């Protein structure tokens, strides 16, 4: 089983070469071309892609809207792109050359990132004006330079004189020590005797006392305070283990370093905007990923990533994947089966015991979750995986993760239904199962906020259906109920119950107090639910006890 490498930095990722085109574009030389007279003239046959001409610092900035040729397009431009038989404004995130023809990775304005895609030149409408990226604001000077300037500005003649006096003392002593060793004088201007000078020299390092190497010079009387500060900064920099000065990277250099060293790093915004895989083979399903995932960079050059649907190992070659499938003996997630009915099964996996499998699961889920940032440190989590059975084994449908010890009483940290099983009712099954676990624990639970767009829709639908069913059943038995009773029965938090009631317009103000009422729209929705065939869980088939962890098991230091 392949293990993933640890991330090199926090907060966010390095990807394939296409993701870094925005950093590399300034190095491409511009080729001035006349304005084309036809659509055919706008599309050059092949070759390298040229960026828009750079503007000298003293010249006026170019207009933000202007007609451009295909060769002048660069990362950050907004152009009109054909999508679904109509043109939409899209931002160019990356420019690549594939088989001699330019291709562009675009993000459609006001659309979700999962709709980003690679487009070819004929889909661009360059007869309309192109919006150029706004010029970057001048960078602020480094903090060290600011501190030096403020330091020199605060220097007064008295403070400078005191500093020069302090700097003259070690220079005088060092000079006296050198003369004492070389000439053997008894008395030196500094007042040191020969014995004192010899003692001082013996305490120095051999490199300092070597006659061939002069002693390190210190600021003298005529050295300005500003220069003295610079010398002090140079001399006090910490050395690395190799004896070299530590490297200070700018933002662009650091991103480039992460890109070339691998993509198993946490998400950097500039890099993660471009998907690094176009196709995933997962079991018998071919899936188009939605977002960037930090798989090792050597796999990003492949046309398709092959992932084993049982052990979640990943391969870039079909032959390697086929050899793995012959050897792989796993037929279900590596955990305890805690629920089984005629439709689905649930497995509980400890992230500390099955680190590699859980890390591979997080890497795989990152392909479909935009805001997921935790995919390496899996020890503090339990993973509950839902599967479907057949003669080949248990096939993964979806999962949710849960913190072993949550201070905010969250019962879900991350939840996902795989794209091939969405819109089939499995998402609500996952949510229902998380609340069944909360009922067993005797706690009120809520998903970790903020929710993704699809996650919020799924939870709102589940909360609405559950509360409507509960109130419709109680209508014949009990005429009155409270928000606290609804929360206790469903294991939802009172905030989620109150939010759902307000969304359904079921809270009314009557005779000085708020009451819960069933509107006609709610009753019609209840009738639709009764006619709809829904997948439901049987709580009697849940064989599970809340796990108890010792303080030692809750320490996750490496």
């Amino acid at each position: 089983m392949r293990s993933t490498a640890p991330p090199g930095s926090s907060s966010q990722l390095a990807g394939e070469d296409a993701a870094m085109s925005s950093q590399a574009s300034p190095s491409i030389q511009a080729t001035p071309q006349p304005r084309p007279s036809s659509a055919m003239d706008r599309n050059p046959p092949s070759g390298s892609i040229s960026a828009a001409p750079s503007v000298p610092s003293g010249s006026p900035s170019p207009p933000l809207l202007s007609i451009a040729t295909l060769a002048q397009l660069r990362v950050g431009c907004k152009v009109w792109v054909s999508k679904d038989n109509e043109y939409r404004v899209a931002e160019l995130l990356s420019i690549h050359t594939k088989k001699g023809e330019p291709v562009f990775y675009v993000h459609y304005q006001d659309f979700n990132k999962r709709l980003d895609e690679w487009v070819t030149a004929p889909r661009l409408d360059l007869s309309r004006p192109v919006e150029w990226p706004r010029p970057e604001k001048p960078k602020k000077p480094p903090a060290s330079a600011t501190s030096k300037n403020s330091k020199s500005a605060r220097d007064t003649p008295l403070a400078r004189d005191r500093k020069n006096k302090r700097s003259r003392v070690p220079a005088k002593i060092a000079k006296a020590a050198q003369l004492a060793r070389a000439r053997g004088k008894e008395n030196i201007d500094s007042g040191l005797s020969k014995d004192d000078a010899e003692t001082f020299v013996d305490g120095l390092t051999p490199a300092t006392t070597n006659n061939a190497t002069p002693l390190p010079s210190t600021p003298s009387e005529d050295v300005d305070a500003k220069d003295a500060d610079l010398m002090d900064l140079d001399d006090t920099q910490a050395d690395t283990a190799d004896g070299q000065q530590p490297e200070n990277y700018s933002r662009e250099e650091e991103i480039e370093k992460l890109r070339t060293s691998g993509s198993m790093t946490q998400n950097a915004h500039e890099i993660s905007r471009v998907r690094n895989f176009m196709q995933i083979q997962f079991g018998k399903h071919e899936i188009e990923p939605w977002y960037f995932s930090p798989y090792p960079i050597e796999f990003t050059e492949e046309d398709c990533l092959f992932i084993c649907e049982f052990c979640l190992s990943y391969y870039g070659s079909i032959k390697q994947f086929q050899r793995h499938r012959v050897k792989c003996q796993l037929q279900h997630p590596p955990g305890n089966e805690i629920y089984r009915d005629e439709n689905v099964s649930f497995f509980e996996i400890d992230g500390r015991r099955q680190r590699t499998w859980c890390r591979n699961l997080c890497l795989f889920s990152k392909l479909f979750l935009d805001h997921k940032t935790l995919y390496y440190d899996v020890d503090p989590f339990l993973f509950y995986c839902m599967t479907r059975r057949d003669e080949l084994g248990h096939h993964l449908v979806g999962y949710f993760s849960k913190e072993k010890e949550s201070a905010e009483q969250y019962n879900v940290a991350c939840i996902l239904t795989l794209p091939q099983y969405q819109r089939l009712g499995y998402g609500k099954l996952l949510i229902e199962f998380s609340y069944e676990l909360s009922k067993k624990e005797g706690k009120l639970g809520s998903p970790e906020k903020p929710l993704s767009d699809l996650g919020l829709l799924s939870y709102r639908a589940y909360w609405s259906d559950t509360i409507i069913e509960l109130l419709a059943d109680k209508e014949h038995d009990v005429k009155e109920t409270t928000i606290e009773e609804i929360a206790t029965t469903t294991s939802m938090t009172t905030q989620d119950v109150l939010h759902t009631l307000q969304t359904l317009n079921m809270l009314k103000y009557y005779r000085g107090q708020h009451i819960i009422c069933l509107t006609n729209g709610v009753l019609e929705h209840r009738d639709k639910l009764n006619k709809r065939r829904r997948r439901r869980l049987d709580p009697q088939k849940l064989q599970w006890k809340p796990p108890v962890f010792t303080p030692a098991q809750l320490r996750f230091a490496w």
Side-chain angles (χ1 to χ4, degrees):
M1 192 178 294
R2 182 184 298 269
S3 62
T4 57
S9 62
S10 102
S11 203
Q12 304 237 12
L13 317 156
E16 60 171 343
D17 294 341
M20 292 306 301
S21 300
S22 59
Q23 303 298 331
S25 59
S27 62
I28 306 176
Q29 298 297 324
T31 304
Q33 296 182 1
R35 180 175 174 178
S37 57
S38 64
M40 293 296 294
D41 295 333
R42 288 197 299 269
N43 301 332
S46 62
S48 60
I49 303 172
S50 303
S54 59
V55 180
S57 57
S59 60
S61 58
L64 294 180
L65 284 174
S66 62
I67 298 295
T69 63
L70 188 66
Q72 290 176 332
L73 294 180
R74 55 174 173 156
V75 172
C77 294
K78 292 183 179 179
V79 300
W80 290 86
V81 182
S82 173
K83 181 175 176 59
D84 300 332
N85 297 325
E86 58 180 294
Y87 283 91
R88 305 182 186 275
V89 178
E91 180 184 358
L92 302 183
L93 301 183
S94 181
I95 303 176
H96 232 26
T97 302
K98 187 174 183 180
K99 296 181 180 179
E101 296 294 332
V103 290
F104 306 86
Y105 191 81
V106 298
H107 167 66
Y108 297 100
Q109 190 169 330
D110 300 328
F111 278 72
N112 193 281
K113 281 177 59 178
R114 70 173 65 95
L115 299 178
D116 296 356
E117 60 179 343
W118 289 96
V119 299
T120 55
R123 291 180 59 180
L124 306 183
D125 184 9
L126 296 182
S127 62
R128 305 189 188 189
V130 173
E131 181 179 347
W132 299 97
R134 298 183 181 274
E136 297 183 359
K137 296 181 180 179
K139 297 182 180 180
K140 296 182 179 180
S144 57
T146 306
S147 61
K148 285 182 288 186
N149 294 336
S150 60
K151 221 186 290 183
S152 59
R154 290 195 303 266
D155 278 347
T156 61
L158 180 60
R160 189 181 299 110
D161 183 65
R162 289 177 179 173
K163 188 170 185 178
N164 289 338
K165 283 183 179 180
R166 287 195 301 269
S167 65
R168 285 198 301 268
V169 173
K172 200 169 184 179
I173 294 176
K175 186 176 180 181
Q178 186 180 17
L179 294 175
R181 174 63 61 88
R183 303 177 185 177
K185 285 189 176 181
E186 291 289 337
N187 296 313
I188 309 177
D189 295 337
S190 64
L192 287 176
S193 65
K194 181 179 178 180
D195 295 334
D196 294 334
E198 291 286 343
T199 304
F200 179 81
V201 173
D202 291 338
L204 298 177
T205 58
T208 308
T209 59
N210 189 357
N211 293 332
T213 305
L215 288 172
S217 59
T218 55
S220 59
E221 298 180 34
D222 20 77
V223 175
D224 188 57
K226 187 183 297 185
D227 298 330
D229 289 343
L230 290 172
M231 297 171 71
D232 290 342
L233 286 173
D234 293 338
D235 292 338
T236 56
Q237 286 182 350
D239 291 343
T240 60
D242 299 332
Q244 301 175 353
Q245 297 293 338
E247 297 175 331
N248 296 323
Y249 293 105
S250 65
R251 182 177 179 83
E252 292 76 10
E253 292 171 341
E254 185 175 5
I255 292 177
E256 178 67 17
K257 185 171 183 291
L258 293 176
R259 182 186 70 83
T260 55
S261 62
S263 61
M264 282 298 302
T265 56
Q266 290 202 359
N267 221 34
H269 179 67
E270 292 84 353
I271 300 171
S272 62
R273 297 185 70 186
V274 180
R275 287 202 308 262
N276 50 346
F277 294 102
M278 294 298 106
Q279 187 176 1
I280 301 294
Q281 181 75 37
F282 187 76
K284 62 181 180 180
H285 301 281
E286 292 183 358
I287 312 172
E288 181 180 351
W290 294 349
Y291 305 110
F292 179 94
S293 183
Y295 281 96
I297 194 171
E298 57 266 22
F299 294 95
T300 60
E301 303 297 331
E302 305 295 337
D303 295 333
C304 180
L305 183 68
F306 300 89
I307 301 178
C308 177
E309 61 177 333
F310 296 111
C311 70
L312 303 183
S313 299
Y314 42 87
Y315 300 90
S317 168
I318 181 62
K319 291 186 177 180
Q320 293 178 350
F321 176 69
Q322 290 173 348
R323 288 198 299 266
H324 166 77
R325 287 300 304 136
V326 173
K327 302 175 184 177
C328 184
Q329 302 297 323
L330 199 62
Q331 294 183 341
H332 58 79
N336 298 324
E337 187 177 8
I338 59 177
Y339 179 89
R340 174 184 288 192
D341 61 19
E342 62 276 5
N343 295 319
V344 297
S345 296
F346 279 88
F347 290 81
E348 181 184 56
I349 301 102
D350 190 338
R352 189 167 193 167
R353 296 185 177 183
Q354 300 290 340
R355 284 178 181 165
T356 301
W357 193 90
C358 294
R359 288 170 183 168
N360 289 342
L361 175 64
C362 292
L363 284 173
F364 179 57
S365 63
K366 179 63 182 70
L367 293 168
F368 312 103
L369 296 174
D370 186 22
H371 299 289
K372 182 175 178 60
T373 57
L374 184 63
Y375 43 80
Y376 187 79
D377 186 14
V378 296
D379 287 18
F381 295 91
L382 294 170
F383 294 82
Y384 295 90
C385 299
M386 180 170 60
T387 63
R388 292 179 56 181
R389 299 184 314 278
D390 61 12
E391 63 278 1
L392 298 178
H394 291 258
H395 304 275
L396 184 66
V397 174
Y399 85 100
F400 67 88
S401 59
K402 179 180 178 181
E403 286 185 273
K404 295 178 180 177
E405 196 72 25
S406 176
E408 294 83 4
Q409 300 300 318
Y410 291 139
N411 63 354
V412 167
C414 179
I415 187 169
L416 171 69
T417 303
L418 298 185
Q420 63 268 30
Y421 296 108
Q422 290 182 0
R423 303 182 66 87
L424 297 175
Y426 290 110
K428 288 186 178 179
L429 275 185
L430 279 171
I431 298 174
E432 183 179 356
F433 189 79
S434 68
Y435 281 105
E436 290 296 335
L437 297 184
S438 297
K439 292 177 183 178
K440 282 273 190 178
E441 292 176 313
K443 299 178 181 178
L444 304 182
S446 180
E448 187 174 333
K449 311 297 191 305
L451 291 167
S452 63
D453 51 355
L454 296 181
L456 181 61
L457 292 175
S458 300
Y459 265 95
R460 280 180 176 172
Y462 173 79
W463 290 335
S464 301
D465 295 349
T466 304
I467 292 177
I468 289 174
E469 284 184 353
L470 179 63
L471 294 179
D473 293 340
K474 282 191 174 185
E475 183 183 10
H476 306 288
D477 301 332
V478 183
K479 294 295 182 181
E480 295 183 358
T481 186
T482 63
I483 292 178
E484 287 75 14
E485 290 178 356
I486 297 176
T488 303
T489 305
T490 59
S491 287
M492 301 178 188
T493 60
T494 54
Q495 292 84 357
D496 292 339
V497 174
L498 184 61
H499 172 75
T500 306
L501 293 176
Q502 290 174 341
T503 304
L504 297 174
N505 199 23
M506 295 174 60
L507 280 181
K508 303 294 183 181
Y509 190 75
Y510 180 73
R511 292 185 178 180
Q513 63 179 357
H514 287 88
I515 61 173
I516 303 173
C517 64
L518 294 174
T519 63
N520 293 332
V522 169
L523 294 177
E524 292 176 1
H525 184 74
R526 189 268 311 268
D527 295 337
K528 291 181 181 179
L529 289 177
N530 294 335
K531 296 177 182 178
R532 190 188 309 166
R533 295 183 60 185
R534 298 174 55 198
R535 302 179 187 272
R536 301 302 300 267
L537 296 177
D538 185 1
Q540 302 298 327
K541 296 182 180 180
L542 176 60
Q543 306 296 323
W544 180 78
K545 290 183 179 180
V548 179
F549 299 98
T550 63
Q553 292 173 327
L554 293 176
R555 295 193 192 104
F556 306 113
W558 291 83

